[in-house]
């Protein structure tokens, strides 16, 4: 696989006479090709190895003889944490509101258009690992090192519910439909199904003897469509929960029947998981920089459909584009890019996979969170910054 990289602050170089570096990496053979792009008065000029075209002040097309990628510099940047560490973020309403959580246990809702803080949430102790708006945009869900999940009112910062039950840090969660029920994964090796209205656990799935780093809810065309007899469950029929663990175990459970459908173990820690309903696929991103892909319809074969090396660094975060046509992937080297053609290539191990879009900004600091809203992408990084991009 080929991938282009550019100097993280190339957007700042446009306003002065200078240059920035570009590198093409062949991940299969570990071959690097280096080049330099010259800048002067907001004009760019490539060299003998790379061409460059400035589309606008925050959008740059770089191409070689074998690959082209569009690079974006951030439209909005906000320092959300004064300490280096895990930072999470989410956006709603076409980027009009963002929420960020850091290592100090506080969350802030802010307006990217002017960087004005709207609300501050206080209550967590320690790192906040994930934040997300409910579909209404009026409520935020968060989880963290203190083992709890918390539900917050955006308008005044009131914590309406605290969900307690995990015995160790809560690392991830996902909403079911509009959020009456949620699922969460923890360092204690379990996934829990919650009833938000009563702040109670409906069931606990024992998945692994190590941390469950990520979890996702989805539906598949041949999934179980029976309805739960538990009145606390809303919209769980036909749904499965996928968990990826630190010891490389991927597990799939049917939510209504509370039964395990599938589990398998791969050679590296699983940091992120995604469910692609349109193609009946499960995608896992790993510590060693690989994407593993399974076909839900053939889980009984326990065969990996495709295994793609996409990074020399750990895959630390991922998010499906709104239309499920692409996958945004953040890595521990500070890179974040979108693979547009991954789903058309899923069933063809020989098909070329490439990053069409790349987000600049982080200087080798791990991308800990990627979120999507309409044409906007937000990233959070260990350098304490949240960056918003208009794609």
């Amino acid at each position: 696989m080929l991938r282009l990289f550019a100097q993280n602050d190339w957007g700042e170089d446009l306003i002065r006479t200078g240059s920035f570096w570009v590198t093409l990496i062949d991940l299969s053979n570990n071959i690097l090709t280096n080049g330099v792009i010259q800048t002067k008065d907001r004009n760019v000029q490539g060299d003998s190895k790379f061409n460059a075209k400035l589309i606008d002040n925050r959008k740059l097309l770089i191409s070689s003889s074998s690959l082209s990628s569009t690079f974006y510099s951030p439209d909005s940047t906000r320092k959300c944490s004064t300490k280096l560490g895990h930072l999470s973020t989410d956006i709603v309403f076409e980027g009009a509101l963002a929420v960020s959580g850091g290592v100090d246990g506080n969350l802030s809702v802010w307006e990217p258009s002017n960087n004005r803080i709207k609300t501050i949430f206080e209550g967590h102790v320690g790192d906040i690992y994930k934040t997300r708006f409910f579909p209404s945009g009026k409520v935020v869900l968060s989880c963290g090192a203190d083992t709890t999940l918390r539900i917050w009112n955006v308008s005044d910062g009131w914590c309406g519910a605290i969900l307690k039950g995990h015995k160790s840090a809560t690392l991830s969660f996902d909403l079911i439909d509009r959020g009456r029920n949620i699922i969460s994964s923890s360092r204690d090796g379990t996934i829990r199904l919650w009833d938000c209205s009563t702040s109670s656990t409906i069931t606990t799935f024992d998945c692994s003897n190590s941390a469950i780093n990520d979890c996702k809810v989805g539906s598949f065309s041949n999934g179980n469509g029976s309805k739960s007899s538990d009145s606390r469950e809303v919209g769980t029929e036909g749904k499965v929960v996928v968990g990826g663990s630190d010891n490389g175990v991927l597990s799939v459970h049917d939510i209504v029947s509370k039964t395990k459908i599938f589990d398998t173990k791969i050679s590296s820690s699983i940091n992120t998981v995604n469910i692609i309903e349109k193609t009946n696929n499960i995608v896992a991103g790993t510590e060693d920089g690989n994407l593993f892909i399974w076909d839900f319809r053939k889980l009984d074969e326990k065969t990996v459909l495709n295994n793609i090396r996409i990074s020399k660094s750990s895959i630390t975060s991922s998010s499906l584009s709104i239309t499920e046509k692409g996958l945004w992937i953040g890595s521990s080297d500070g890179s974040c890019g979108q693979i547009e053609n991954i789903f058309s290539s899923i069933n063809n191990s020989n098909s070329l996979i490439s990053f069409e879009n790349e987000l600049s900004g982080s200087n080798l600091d791990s991308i800990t969170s990627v979120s999507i809203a309409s044409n906007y992408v937000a990233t959070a990084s260990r350098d304490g910054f949240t960056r918003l991009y208009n794609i």
Side-chain angles (χ1 to χ4, degrees), residues 106-120:
N106 293 334
L107 298 93
S108 57
V109 173
W110 51 284
E111 299 171 350
S113 61
N114 55 24
N115 274 345
R116 185 178 68 87
I117 294 178
K118 180 179 177 67
T119 319
I120 294 178

Side-chain angles (χ1 to χ4, degrees), residues 3 5 311-314 316 330-336 362-367:
R3 188 169 183 185
F5 291 86
S311 176
K312 295 177 69 175
S313 303
S314 303
T316 51
S331 301
S332 60
D333 61 3
S335 65
C336 185
S362 176
N363 185 18
L364 301 178
D365 289 292
S366 179
I367 303 298

Side-chain angles (χ1 to χ4, degrees), residues 36-321:
V36 175
I37 306 298
Q38 302 292 332
T39 64
K40 183 178 181 180
D41 299 329
R42 298 192 182 277
N43 291 315
V44 295
Q45 182 176 346
D47 58 14
S48 60
K49 300 173 184 176
F50 298 97
N51 295 318
K53 179 182 179 182
L54 187 63
I55 300 172
D56 60 40
N57 288 340
R58 302 190 184 279
K59 189 174 180 181
L60 176 69
L61 178 65
I62 300 176
S63 58
S64 69
S65 59
S66 52
L67 180 66
S68 295
S69 295
T70 303
F71 288 77
Y72 294 84
S73 64
D75 290 77
S76 177
T77 301
R78 185 172 187 278
K79 184 73 171 178
C80 295
S81 177
T82 57
K83 300 179 181 178
L84 296 183
H86 197 284
L87 185 71
S88 59
T89 193
D90 192 27
I91 49 176
V92 288
F93 304 144
E94 297 184 344
L97 280 181
V99 59
S100 301
V103 298
D104 57 2
N106 293 334
L107 298 93
S108 57
V109 173
W110 51 284
E111 299 171 350
S113 61
N114 55 24
N115 274 345
R116 185 178 68 87
I117 294 178
K118 180 179 177 67
T119 319
I120 294 178
F121 308 146
E122 297 178 338
H124 276 294
V125 178
D127 288 11
I128 296 173
Y129 292 123
K130 187 168 183 176
T131 58
R132 182 173 170 182
F133 286 98
F134 278 72
S136 66
K138 298 178 180 180
V139 180
V140 165
L141 177 63
S142 62
C143 69
D146 62 4
T147 77
T148 68
L149 297 101
R150 295 172 184 254
I151 300 174
W152 311 84
N153 189 319
V154 169
S155 63
D156 57 13
W158 176 64
C159 182
I162 302 175
L163 282 58
K164 298 180 180 180
H166 282 300
K167 297 176 182 178
S168 189
T170 304
L171 302 176
S172 186
F173 59 75
D174 200 8
L175 305 182
I176 299 176
D177 289 346
R178 298 191 63 81
R180 164 68 184 271
N181 298 125
I182 62 174
I183 58 105
S184 63
S185 63
S186 169
R187 196 164 278 145
D188 64 14
T190 68
I191 291 176
R192 287 178 179 249
L193 172 66
W194 301 86
D195 173 28
C196 290
S197 65
T198 59
S199 303
S200 62
T201 299
I202 296 175
T203 194
T204 301
F205 302 100
D206 291 312
C207 301
S208 174
N209 58 5
S210 70
I212 309 296
N213 294 322
D214 197 15
C215 59
K216 290 293 191 303
V217 170
S219 302
F220 291 108
S221 58
N222 60 340
N224 182 0
S226 60
K227 190 171 183 178
S228 174
S229 58
D230 192 326
S231 61
R232 295 175 297 170
E233 294 185 31
V234 178
T236 57
E237 59 270 15
K239 299 289 197 309
V240 298
V241 54
V242 176
S245 72
D246 211 39
N247 65 356
V249 171
L250 181 99
S251 61
V252 183
H253 287 81
D254 181 80
I255 294 179
V256 170
S257 66
K258 315 296 186 291
T259 58
K260 181 183 292 183
I261 299 173
F262 167 80
D263 70 357
T264 190
K265 188 172 183 177
I266 59 176
S267 58
S268 180
S269 298
I270 299 174
N271 293 334
T272 73
V273 293
N274 281 280
I275 296 174
I276 301 95
E277 296 178 347
K278 289 183 178 180
T279 55
N280 284 287
N281 289 111
I282 298 169
V283 180
T286 66
E287 185 71 16
D288 60 5
N290 284 278
L291 284 182
F292 285 80
I293 304 171
W294 292 266
D295 187 332
F296 182 79
R297 296 162 295 188
K298 301 177 182 178
L299 289 182
D300 56 336
E301 300 176 11
K302 294 201 172 185
T303 301
V304 175
L305 184 63
N306 210 334
N307 177 15
I308 309 163
R309 180 74 185 279
I310 65 162
S311 176
K312 295 177 69 175
S313 303
S314 303
I315 297 173
T316 51
S317 53
S318 61
S319 183
L320 282 173
S321 61

